[in-house]
Amino acid sequence: MNEPRETKNQRKRAVRWFGIKDVIYLGIIGVGIVAGLNSAKVKRGLKEIFAPKPAAASVDKDDIFRQAEAQITAELEKEYESRMAALRKSHEDAMKQASEQEVPEPKAEPELGPLSDVRKLRSGIPFKTEVKIGKGGIASKERIDDASYTASYQLSLRLPTAAKTLAELETTSPGLSKILPGLPPMVEKAQVSPWFGRLYDNKAARVRTDANTLNELLTKHNIYDCETILNLTAANGRKVFFMQAEMDVVSDGSDGDRLPAMPDEIVNSPHYQPFTSYGWPKKTATPNPMVEGWERRVTAAQKELAAAATPAARKAWLRDRIQYLKRGIDDLKGRSFLIADYDPFIVIPINLLGANDSFTPKVGDYAVVVYDKKLYPSIVGDGGPVFKVGEASLRMAKEINPKASSYSRPVSDLKVSYVVFPGSREAEKTPPDYEKWRNRCHELLGEIGGLGDGYQLHQWQDLLPKPAPPASAPALAPAPPDPVPATAPDPSKPAGAPEKPAANPPGTTAPAAPASTPPVTPPAPASGAPAPAGAPQAPAASGDSR
């Protein structure tokens, strides 16, 4: 059926708002996004982490710098993918809308007066909005009047004070003084660590930046993730870094020597970090399984770099990316790292690990995690973001809460106590030895008053898959013995007389019967101390962590 010419013209005008120019504009926006994610941003991120802080110990400088670079690069990759996905969706929606656009119907006059709405700007943050719409003058005048179209945004945030009395500590961790009887006298003289204030300053700075650019804000949960950080000193001078916080999960790390195969979804993941701050030279020639995935990413990046259609800004980013991946591959070929799925360790903000402060932990320092009247020996194994605390490996998380996963924290409340012994790390980093870690943590706890009656350190088991023993060759049937030549009977002996056994060879004596030696029973441990490794354990008392 023929339509009136006026109707056809109206339909044509309705779809002309989106054309070739608009597609070009979207392309320019995409190039701008890529340009914003370049090496300069990585360098600025590294400078923000390291510049304001004291110089790091030289032994950890490379590890900490590499860890920071990996974190920043992963964050930028995630941001890039998110923005490009949003851009593609915007383009698809616009094309779909253009193809389905019909003649717009007249809209009703907008409602005047204030409109109020209460939403969640971010999880746990009440967001109050008020839109005021009123009558103005003619459009040509309102367009040049700054007051005709305005918006204001105010965000309020209260920074907490640190818990510093025993009563405050036991508000979230009841019975802490019974588990660690030496804690009360240390708390009486405790000093709030300056890192508590810096932690919340870092949170505030991030919130300020994100709010000013209308980016996604930290959740209220992640703002208030630390109850306290205290500098404690025992009577014998032993220093303790004491922190109360929640527990998030880290699932990084790899080690070809101990785990030569990993799932394909991990090997090929662009987000999985195969490194931890704690690492040691490889002990075998078995390759790290993550190398294969990283080499494929280098190949893919080189292919995109060679494509003529790749924008210049994207090529600059790809060159930096390829160099980063190659450095990582060299590291994976020469060193091994902790594996969060199997090794129990905790995570400390990366800026603390590089600080020249006698109370701050360093990579490899021994630590004990206290939660729900149980104690878990560990080490400081990795560095985390500067604006959050309270992280541990997936192995630790699952032991505390079997429902924990890479996407589900084991403890959401501020009920986990992290007792770290600064200056306790070994001179040389070596593969994990869980029993050695347990014994050393027991010794360090003894230096600050030991454990209360009935409490013991958890004993970690090695859960790494063990290679199957090589198949043995089938046993061959024994060859028949050679025939013994017959000897003539001795005529001096009567027929049928038994032969005497041969005497011992000259210079030898008959073997003595083995002496019966009673088994050695290990001494019983002192009250509140765990039994030595391998010794039979007494029945667990209330509060036992086994």
Side-chain angles (χ1 to χ4, degrees):
M1 185 177 69
N2 295 331
E3 293 181 322
R5 178 176 299 177
E6 182 180 358
T7 302
K8 290 183 178 180
N9 290 339
Q10 287 175 340
R11 186 164 296 172
K12 288 180 180 179
R13 287 195 299 270
V15 301
R16 284 177 185 166
W17 68 274
F18 190 92
I20 299 299
K21 292 182 178 179
D22 302 279
V23 175
I24 295 173
Y25 293 155
L26 285 174
I28 294 173
I29 293 172
V31 173
I33 291 173
V34 176
L37 302 176
N38 55 18
S39 59
K41 192 168 183 180
V42 175
K43 294 175 181 177
R44 285 198 303 272
L46 293 171
K47 185 177 180 181
E48 288 173 1
I49 291 177
F50 293 105
K53 309 300 183 297
S58 58
V59 69
D60 290 330
K61 181 178 179 181
D62 292 341
D63 285 345
I64 294 173
F65 192 89
R66 174 186 45 72
Q67 193 74 6
E69 181 184 29
Q71 290 176 5
I72 295 169
T73 303
E75 185 175 342
L76 292 178
E77 274 193 340
K78 185 177 180 181
E79 182 182 353
Y80 169 79
E81 291 175 1
S82 175
R83 291 189 181 185
M84 289 305 297
L87 180 63
R88 285 191 292 269
K89 187 176 185 305
S90 175
H91 174 70
E92 291 169 359
D93 291 347
M95 295 298 292
K96 182 178 179 181
Q97 185 177 1
S99 63
E100 299 176 353
Q101 186 73 31
E102 296 181 356
V103 179
E105 297 180 359
K107 294 183 178 180
E109 185 175 344
E111 183 180 354
L112 304 182
L115 300 174
S116 297
D117 188 12
V118 178
R119 310 179 184 207
K120 297 291 183 182
L121 175 67
R122 193 66 171 91
S123 177
I125 307 174
F127 184 46
K128 299 179 181 180
T129 63
E130 183 179 35
V131 180
K132 295 182 179 180
I133 300 176
K135 278 290 186 180
I138 60 176
S140 58
K141 291 186 177 180
E142 295 295 349
R143 169 181 275 189
I144 61 176
D145 185 353
D146 291 340
S148 62
Y149 193 10
T150 64
S152 61
Y153 171 37
Q154 177 179 324
L155 179 69
S156 299
L157 171 63
R158 289 200 302 264
L159 301 181
T161 56
K164 51 188 176 183
T165 67
L166 186 62
E168 290 174 333
L169 298 181
E170 293 193 329
T171 298
T172 55
S173 301
L176 196 57
S177 58
K178 294 181 179 179
I179 301 171
L180 300 173
L183 186 63
M186 289 193 294
V187 171
E188 289 179 2
K189 301 178 181 180
Q191 298 292 323
V192 175
S193 170
W195 292 102
F196 180 84
R198 294 183 194 179
L199 170 66
Y200 278 97
D201 286 345
N202 290 337
K203 293 176 184 287
R206 186 177 179 90
V207 168
R208 189 185 303 276
T209 299
D210 290 342
N212 287 340
T213 55
L214 295 181
N215 284 340
E216 185 180 38
L217 298 176
L218 283 174
T219 66
K220 190 172 185 179
H221 184 98
N222 284 334
I223 286 288
Y224 300 107
D225 63 2
C226 181
E227 187 83 338
T228 194
I229 301 177
L230 298 177
N231 291 342
L232 306 179
T233 305
N236 59 6
R238 162 59 67 187
K239 291 181 171 62
V240 174
F241 176 91
F242 181 90
M243 181 173 70
Q244 271 189 337
E246 60 174 14
M247 181 178 284
D248 277 328
V249 181
V250 63
S251 55
D252 300 339
S254 61
D255 179 4
D257 297 341
R258 297 184 298 143
L259 190 67
M262 298 179 77
D264 288 343
E265 58 267 24
I266 290 180
V267 172
N268 298 320
S269 171
H271 305 300
Y272 186 87
Q273 292 298 321
F275 315 102
T276 58
S277 299
Y278 186 95
W280 59 94
K282 278 182 64 62
K283 305 299 182 183
T284 74
T286 306
N288 189 306
M290 294 299 297
V291 169
E292 183 180 353
W294 278 51
E295 287 178 339
R296 281 198 292 265
R297 292 161 69 183
V298 170
T299 301
Q302 289 173 334
K303 182 177 179 180
E304 185 181 356
L305 182 63
T310 304
R314 174 68 174 172
K315 287 188 174 184
W317 184 85
L318 286 169
R319 291 189 188 95
D320 287 339
R321 182 64 178 161
I322 290 169
Q323 292 302 315
Y324 163 73
L325 291 171
K326 287 183 175 180
R327 289 196 301 271
I329 291 170
D330 289 342
D331 211 6
L332 292 172
K333 289 181 176 180
R335 296 203 301 157
S336 293
F337 306 92
L338 297 174
I339 310 171
D341 281 25
Y342 297 95
D343 298 325
F345 62 87
I346 68 170
V347 180
I348 295 293
I350 201 166
N351 54 335
L352 274 74
L353 297 179
N356 187 19
D357 180 342
S358 61
F359 277 98
T360 56
K362 299 294 183 293
V363 176
D365 278 341
Y366 288 97
V368 175
V369 175
V370 184
Y371 176 71
D372 194 24
K373 299 181 180 180
K374 298 178 182 178
L375 300 99
Y376 305 89
S378 67
I379 65 167
V380 176
D382 207 3
V386 300
F387 53 85
K388 68 188 302 294
V389 297
E391 287 185 282
S393 66
L394 184 58
R395 174 71 189 278
M396 175 78 73
K398 284 185 174 180
E399 190 65 39
I400 287 177
N401 182 350
K403 295 181 179 180
S405 71
S406 300
Y407 309 100
S408 177
R409 62 175 64 92
V411 184
S412 292
D413 297 322
L414 308 182
K415 295 183 176 182
V416 183
S417 297
Y418 300 83
V419 183
V420 188
F421 299 94
S424 62
R425 62 179 177 173
E426 306 293 336
E428 180 182 356
K429 296 184 179 71
T430 59
D433 183 338
Y434 305 145
E435 195 58 32
K436 177 181 177 180
W437 291 4
R438 182 176 185 265
N439 291 337
R440 182 60 179 138
C441 285
H442 177 251
E443 293 173 359
L444 292 165
L445 287 172
E447 295 181 18
I448 62 170
L451 297 175
D453 292 340
Y455 295 97
Q456 294 187 14
L457 282 171
H458 179 77
Q459 192 159 13
W460 296 104
Q461 302 299 319
D462 185 358
L463 302 182
L464 281 161
K466 300 297 182 289
S472 57
L476 299 176
D482 294 333
V484 179
T487 57
D490 188 347
S492 63
K493 294 182 180 178
E499 295 286 342
K500 291 183 180 180
N504 294 321
T508 64
T509 58
S516 176
T517 304
V520 179
T521 303
S527 175
Q537 298 287 334
S542 174
D544 180 64
S545 66
R546 293 180 299 167

